[in-house]
């Protein structure tokens, strides 16, 4: 398996524009997580899905953020409109069902810069 | 909710020496404590984990210890090598909680 695949690797956009980040989890993994990493706040969980259903979105900072998982092999994180403070590295991670808090497999991340 | 504190934020050691990174957590219900290593330009990768029914776990040069009474756990790396240079994150998670709370990270530098 190629692991968790995220695209794009880098995104530079202007304030006010819509940004869509994409993630393909590892096949067979039932959980998908979106994290944001910044120097100030470290790794923060934004939202996670179980079997394509959003379970906990309490980490989503504002209504400008939305996430979807239309099928088991694809998820998106959208920011509309984007702001400079959204600049961060966004990671997608997936894991198997079964044991509680089992190993997370992270993608390589999307470096987002909002000018 | 859970809060995880990690120290130090940066650590520099000579190659061959040992490195220790410490974390404390706040929620006594947490029972799973993984450590992740993040290399430049990559996502974090699990290197070792421990559950609350175990006090210590070793895997070659790395070990983790857990003190549930004091609510702290530590990562020990012995005989450090240049490839150990990275950012290390601790995390804590509880039974029934599907999400992990991460510490702020420790940037470890191994000096040749």
């Amino acid at each position: 398996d190629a692991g968790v695949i995220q695209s794009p690797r880098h995104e530079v956009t202007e304030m006010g524009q819509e940004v869509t980040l994409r993630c393909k989890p590892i096949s067979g993994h039932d959980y998908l997580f979106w994290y944001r990493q910044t120097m100030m706040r470290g790794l923060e969980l934004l939202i996670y899905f179980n079997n394509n259903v959003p379970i906990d979105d309490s980490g989503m900072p504002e209504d400008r953020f939305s996430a979807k998982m239309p099928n088991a092999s694809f998820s998106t994180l959208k920011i509309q409109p984007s702001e400079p403070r959204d600049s961060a590295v966004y990671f997608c991670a997936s894991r198997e069902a079964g044991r509680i808090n089992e190993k997370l497999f992270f993608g390589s991340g999307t470096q987002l810069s909002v000018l | 909710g859970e809060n995880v504190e990690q120290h130090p934020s940066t650590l520099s050691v000579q190659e061959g020496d040992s490195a220790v990174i410490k974390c404390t957590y706040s929620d006594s219900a947490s029972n799973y404590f993984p450590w992740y290593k993040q290399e430049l330009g990559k996502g974090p990768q699990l290197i070792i984990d421990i559950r609350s029914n175990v006090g210590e776990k070793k895997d070659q040069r790395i070990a983790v210890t857990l003190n549930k009474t004091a609510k702290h756990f530590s990562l020990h790396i012995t005989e450090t090598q240049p490839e150990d240079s990275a950012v290390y994150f601790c995390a804590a998670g509880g039974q029934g909680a599907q999400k992990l709370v991460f510490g702020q990270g420790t940037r470890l530098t191994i000096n040749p």
Side-chain angles (χ1 to χ4, degrees):
Chain A
D1 201 315
V4 177
I5 299 173
Q6 291 187 245
S7 64
R9 285 298 309 271
H10 304 274
E11 177 79 36
V12 180
T13 190
E14 293 186 348
M15 183 174 61
Q17 296 299 306
E18 178 179 294
V19 176
T20 299
L21 312 181
R22 297 173 175 79
C23 175
K24 176 178 168 51
I26 292 174
S27 177
H29 282 192
D30 294 340
Y31 287 89
L32 183 139
F33 302 78
W34 282 99
Y35 283 87
R36 178 171 67 176
Q37 184 176 37
T38 61
M39 287 295 293
M40 291 298 295
R41 301 173 70 88
L43 268 169
E44 301 175 277
L45 177 65
L46 300 178
I47 185 172
Y48 78 91
F49 296 82
N50 180 23
N51 291 322
N52 314 335
V53 177
I55 303 300
D56 187 335
D57 65 354
S58 59
M60 297 285 262
E62 299 173 34
D63 291 344
R64 298 183 296 105
F65 286 70
S66 63
K68 294 182 179 179
M69 192 164 186
N71 57 63
S73 60
F74 184 65
S75 177
T76 59
L77 179 67
K78 185 176 294 186
I79 308 173
Q80 166 63 21
S82 58
E83 297 183 2
R85 59 194 167 120
D86 301 330
S87 298
V89 181
Y90 291 81
F91 287 104
C92 175
S94 69
R95 73 166 179 86
E96 298 175 347
R99 297 181 68 182
I100 300 298
N101 293 319
E102 192 51 81
K103 177 179 178 180
L104 289 175
F105 293 80
F106 283 84
S108 296
T110 294
Q111 174 78 59
L112 174 64
S113 297
V114 183
L115 307 177
Chain B
E2 177 64 274
N3 182 50
V4 178
E5 299 283 341
Q6 183 172 346
H7 300 280
S9 57
T10 60
L11 180 60
S12 182
V13 301
Q14 289 298 120
E15 182 178 353
D17 288 350
S18 295
V20 180
I21 303 171
K22 298 182 179 181
C23 289
T24 60
Y25 61 99
S26 61
D27 190 347
S28 57
S30 289
N31 66 351
Y32 176 66
F33 308 93
W35 287 87
Y36 282 78
K37 175 183 180 182
Q38 185 178 22
E39 297 177 340
L40 194 62
K42 298 183 179 180
Q45 187 172 19
L46 181 72
I47 55 172
I48 194 167
D49 57 11
I50 191 168
R51 296 184 184 273
S52 58
N53 58 346
V54 176
E56 182 176 2
K57 184 177 179 180
K58 290 183 179 180
D59 183 3
Q60 298 183 345
R61 296 187 298 106
I62 61 174
V64 58
T65 59
L66 170 66
N67 183 327
K68 282 221 73 177
T69 302
K71 296 198 188 71
H72 67 71
F73 56 113
S74 301
L75 178 71
H76 304 253
I77 306 175
T78 59
E79 300 174 16
T80 53
Q81 300 170 4
E83 54 264 37
D84 295 329
S85 294
V87 179
Y88 292 80
F89 293 94
C90 63
Q95 186 77 19
Q98 299 301 325
K99 51 187 183 182
L100 293 173
V101 176
F102 284 84
Q104 288 290 91
T106 296
R107 182 173 299 279
L108 175 63
T109 302
I110 308 301
N111 301 309

